[in-house]
Amino acid sequence: MVAYRETVTSSKIIYEGPIFSVETQDVDLYNGKKAKRDIVRHVPAIGVLAFVDDEHIILEKQWRATISDFILEIPAGKLDQRDFDEPHHAVERELNEELRMAAGSIEKALGFVETVGFSDAYMHLYVARNLTPIEQDQQLPRDLGETMDLVTMSFSEVKSLFDSGKLIDQKTVTAFLYWNHLRG
């Protein structure tokens, strides 16, 4: 089967906020028909698989208004003007803000488009090891309203959540699958 490219005939930003914007497009399809597309344009982000040791990672349990519930997820954050060209700087910042830790080692694992069906949101996944606490006077402020419980979990505990369908955050599922890959 052959895939066909769409041609954008017009586009307009209908919402613009600090984290994302919404663009509506008119497109011509390969068969001569016309269609509309709504696209969420999101700033790139980072996620961190933060290892306590080879068998344990740190997850965050936090309230997410989008699902009206608490969720377990890896530390993550959006890139900003300070680090668009250096995503690992955002990793250092987020580890400080969220975990109150610094990493002795930070490595890029992979990158992925989070929700390609309607958004261009791209996430860089990093692995952080050799974590050490940050002194209180060196801690960066958390985002407004950001609260979380930090939870250290073993591979088998995270695998159990994955196997039972209780690990539902996409970046965290991807991080778990990468961790599983690392284990061979």
Side-chain angles (χ1 to χ4, degrees), residues 1 12 16 25 27 30 34 50 54-55 75 83-84 89 93 100 111-112 114 126 147 161 163 169 173 175 180:
M1 180 170 207
K12 180 181 178 184
E16 191 158 5
Q25 297 179 341
V27 299
Y30 72 94
K34 298 187 179 299
D54 287 343
E55 285 297 312
D83 41 44
F84 274 125
H89 290 169
R93 185 179 68 249
R100 304 301 190 204
F112 55 94
E114 295 179 70
Y126 283 83
T147 62
L161 291 172
D163 290 345
D169 174 62
V173 169
N180 191 49

Side-chain angles (χ1 to χ4, degrees), residues 122-161:
Y122 186 85
M123 179 161 285
H124 304 268
L125 179 64
Y126 283 83
V127 172
R129 296 181 189 275
N130 305 319
L131 301 176
T132 57
I134 293 189
E135 297 294 327
Q136 188 168 2
D137 65 335
Q138 298 295 313
Q139 294 176 359
L140 298 172
R142 288 192 169 141
D143 294 339
L144 181 64
E146 187 172 55
T147 62
M148 63 198 69
D149 292 326
L150 301 180
V151 182
T152 299
M153 297 189 82
S154 68
F155 179 84
S156 62
E157 290 170 319
V158 179
K159 184 177 185 316
S160 178
L161 291 172

